[in-house]
């Protein structure tokens, strides 16, 4: 995965154990909680926060705690998203709504959200609380907008997709970097730079995520293929493919979009439409645009201890296959 | 409803308008938000908070804001509960999951939760943030415990029902009174007393709520009858009825519990079993116990501006039919 310093890898491990330490007094809650966190995610947001808060002046414990809070918030949104999307799998294992029920997912999401807020209050930095409460609100906003966008079957514009990508993904990346910088008591200007870097990185991350939904058809990356497509979501690659497609192909796409079962033959046809030269050009240009923006902001942070690892994270996010 | 001072009624109105003022920039979110808050609830928790914070020393705006935050938190739990319970109606109107879908309910609940946290951060009192974050976590805990209790079909004990009633209802009543007292900068001892009063009042409120689920069969109170029963929930009245029933009646109850349709004849039979003299004695004794505990704590607050109205709230909660 990422090529990180040993100290950073050790910190990411401490994030995982900090999260797992949050015990519940009831067996059922503990059981679901452990199930959720036994499947380890990439912890990209936690890593972004750890890098942004790198500083010799602050207590290392606080950095681990903030990164853990962000990981908890992110996981709570995933648990709720699985209900919204009726997902069957999450992080390579069955999702909570499958092993238990939707009801448990809704309530465990609330449990984890509020656990994160308890830890935030304990951290005791008002500006961080404010940023994370607002980010949580924006994520919900983004999800609702996305829901309406695809239910209405209305004409989707690139600006809608960018807005949703920012709110549901970029926003928490932004908050991770910003709050990390806040914790390290950086200047307002620097906090802003970290925030903008996080925002652009999050959108780039989402674009790559959308690409992988189709690439998973050909790659053995342990990710279910066409998940977004089967949920009826028009993501960046599909948006560009539709732009390029002739009427017949467009009708074919729309006839398959949102179907839970798609024949091998039709899957190949969809893949081919995504692989269209012009479509690939458009999607790669978009991904490049956000990666370049990320790097532009990183240039301002050359003197920071996080520089090399941040560069690694940005590069990895663009080429990642997981 | 309650006999309250004109000033208090005006404050409750301001709570409603403060909540409604929280605009969202997206039409769909605004629409659902307005729908949720167009059906006014009793605002018992907001009232409890307003009374507990009565003091000439603090900014009235902060009291209204805190009460609004509590009402937002409560409403968020209701929106999520309607998904968990698959409810069709809420506050006399169709629930969000009926008008829109479960997905919208999950996300709107998150939207309202985080909105409440944003406002809490703005209020800027760490002890209040801490109490409300913990209360939110406990409510989720209570709901999960309740879910498991009734799914397992295990033997339910009175202590389980009391624990669930405390967590899912008493806990936010406790937090409403406690944070109100915190806002008014009362002494630690007084904050504790307000908290204990709120806790006991919340449990009494829940007991009366459970009673009304059966009373609604005979009263025209605009509340759907046997909602809990049809959801398979053993609440206080049914718990005592089962204790009193012979094997035949017990089997009858268990055969009907959780059924979505119950014949008029069987409804009458269930009502009669709840009306059993010993059952009524037990349920009323329990309600009395918590009401008396509430009054015991209120006695310590005789010199407070809130005394008379608090007494009114306690009395009303016991005899209320809504």
């Amino acid at each position: 995965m990422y090529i990180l310093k040993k100290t950073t890898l050790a910190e990411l491990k401490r994030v995982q154990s900090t999260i797992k330490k949050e015990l519940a007094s009831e067996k059922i809650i503990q059981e679901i909680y452990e199930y959720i966190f036994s499947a380890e995610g990439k912890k990209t947001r936690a890593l972004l926060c750890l890098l942004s808060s790198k500083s010799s002046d602050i207590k290392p414990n606080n950095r681990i705690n903030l990164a853990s809070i962000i990981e908890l918030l992110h996981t709570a949104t995933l648990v709720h998203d699985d209900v919204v999307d009726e997902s069957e799998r999450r992080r390579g294992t069955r999702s909570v709504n499958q092993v238990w029920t939707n009801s448990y997912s809704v309530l465990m999401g609330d449990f984890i959200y509020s656990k994160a807020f308890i830890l935030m209050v304990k951290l005791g930095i008002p500006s961080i609380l404010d940023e994370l409460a607002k980010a949580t609100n924006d994520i919900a906003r983004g999800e609702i907008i996305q829901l309406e966008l695809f239910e209405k079957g209305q004409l989707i514009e690139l600006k809608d997709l960018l807005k949703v990508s920012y709110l549901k993904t970029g926003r928490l990346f932004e908050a991770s970097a910003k709050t990390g910088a806040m914790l390290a008591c950086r200047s307002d200007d620097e906090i802003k730079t970290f925030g903008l870097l996080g925002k652009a990185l999050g959108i780039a991350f989402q674009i790559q995520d959308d690409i992988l939904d189709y690439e998973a058809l050909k790659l053995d990356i342990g990710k279910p293929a066409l998940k977004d497509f089967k949920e009826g979501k028009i993501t960046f690659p599909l948006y560009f493919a539709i732009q390029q497609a002739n009427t017949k192909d467009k009708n074919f796409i729309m006839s398959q979009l949102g179907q839970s079962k798609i024949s091998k033959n039709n899957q190949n046809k969809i893949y081919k439409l995504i692989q269209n030269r012009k479509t690939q050009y458009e999607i790669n240009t978009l991904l490049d645009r956000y990666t370049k923006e990320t790097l532009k902001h990183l240039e301002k942070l050359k003197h920071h201890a996080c520089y090399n690892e941040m560069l690694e994270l940005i590069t990895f996010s663009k080429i990642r296959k997981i």
Side-chain angles (χ1 to χ4, degrees), chain A residues 217-218 226 252 262-275:
Chain A
L217 280 168
K218 301 289 159 182
L226 297 188
F252 165 73
I262 299 172
S263 73
K264 204 82 199 157
N265 197 26
N266 284 341
Q267 287 188 8
N268 284 334
K269 233 170 128 182
I270 293 162
Y271 187 74
K272 231 180 120 186
L273 287 167
I274 298 287
Q275 289 304 312

Side-chain angles (χ1 to χ4, degrees), chain A residues 124-154:
Chain A
I125 302 170
S127 60
I128 291 181
L129 260 161
D130 185 53
E131 176 65 15
L132 291 177
K134 283 177 181 162
T136 308
N137 189 259
D138 283 337
I139 293 169
R141 267 177 66 214
E143 296 282 348
I144 297 171
I145 298 168
Q146 174 172 272
L147 209 56
E148 201 205 14
L149 213 54
F150 298 132
E151 269 186 2
K152 272 187 166 171
Q154 66 193 23

Side-chain angles (χ1 to χ4, degrees), chain A residues 61-321:
Chain A
N61 268 354
N62 279 352
R63 292 177 54 235
I64 305 292
N65 289 340
L66 179 58
S68 306
I69 287 164
I70 283 166
E71 198 56 29
L72 283 171
L73 283 180
H74 173 55
T75 306
T77 68
L78 295 185
V79 174
H80 279 179
D81 278 2
D82 286 343
V83 179
V84 172
D85 296 337
E86 298 172 28
S87 305
E88 292 177 8
R89 300 190 73 75
R90 170 66 67 186
R91 290 175 177 164
T93 175
R94 288 168 73 209
S95 50
V96 177
N97 45 325
Q98 292 294 311
V99 182
W100 287 271
T101 60
N102 270 348
S103 300
Y104 281 100
S105 300
V106 172
L107 299 171
M108 274 308 291
D110 292 348
F111 180 87
I112 298 171
Y113 264 131
S114 46
K115 184 64 92 175
F117 276 100
I118 292 173
L119 295 174
M120 257 180 254
V121 176
K122 214 170 152 190
L123 196 66
I125 302 170
S127 60
I128 291 181
L129 260 161
D130 185 53
E131 176 65 15
L132 291 177
K134 283 177 181 162
T136 308
N137 189 259
D138 283 337
I139 293 169
R141 267 177 66 214
E143 296 282 348
I144 297 171
I145 298 168
Q146 174 172 272
L147 209 56
E148 201 205 14
L149 213 54
F150 298 132
E151 269 186 2
K152 272 187 166 171
Q154 66 193 23
L155 199 71
I156 300 205
E157 296 180 47
L158 188 58
K159 72 169 174 38
D160 296 325
L161 290 180
L162 285 170
K163 183 178 178 180
V164 166
S165 294
Y166 166 51
L167 290 172
K168 72 171 200 173
T169 309
R171 187 64 185 91
L172 191 56
F173 273 74
E174 181 183 29
S176 304
K178 254 175 104 171
T179 55
M182 286 168 176
L183 187 69
C185 300
R186 307 204 196 280
S187 70
D188 284 354
D189 258 8
E190 282 196 330
I191 291 171
K192 205 177 150 193
T193 302
F194 272 101
L196 290 170
L197 185 158
K199 179 177 171 174
L201 179 62
I203 297 173
F205 192 88
Q206 183 59 56
I207 295 169
Q208 181 64 6
D209 223 52
D210 293 349
I211 293 173
L212 289 176
D213 196 52
Y214 293 93
E215 289 301 323
L217 280 168
K218 301 289 159 182
L219 296 166
D220 188 17
I221 53 181
K223 208 176 146 87
L226 297 188
K227 186 175 174 291
D228 294 335
F229 190 89
K230 289 177 181 171
E231 285 169 6
K233 285 182 188 151
I234 297 179
T235 57
F236 291 112
L238 191 63
Y239 168 81
F240 291 122
I242 292 171
Q243 298 283 314
Q244 300 306 323
N246 58 33
T247 313
K248 198 179 139 234
D249 288 339
K250 221 177 274 182
N251 288 339
F252 165 73
I253 289 172
M254 298 321 278
S255 76
Q256 297 297 309
L257 188 66
Q259 303 291 329
S260 59
K261 289 216 189 309
I262 299 172
S263 73
K264 204 82 199 157
N265 197 26
N266 284 341
Q267 287 188 8
N268 284 334
K269 233 170 128 182
I270 293 162
Y271 187 74
K272 231 180 120 186
L273 287 167
I274 298 287
Q275 289 304 312
N276 167 294
R277 203 181 48 81
K278 191 82 195 297
T279 299
Q280 285 296 308
Y281 172 79
E282 296 279 10
I283 187 79
N284 288 325
T285 305
L286 190 73
L287 179 56
D288 267 351
R289 191 176 114 202
Y290 284 96
T291 306
K292 274 185 190 145
E293 193 176 324
T294 313
L295 293 169
K296 184 187 84 186
H297 298 298
L298 184 65
E299 279 316 289
K300 290 193 192 165
L301 306 169
K302 269 209 151 144
H303 55 291
H304 274 280
C306 69
Y307 182 83
N308 285 332
E309 285 177 293
M310 200 69 105
L311 187 60
E312 169 70 23
L313 171 59
I314 295 168
T315 316
F316 173 80
S317 294
K318 201 192 149 178
I319 56 160
R320 73 192 171 94
K321 300 288 173 216

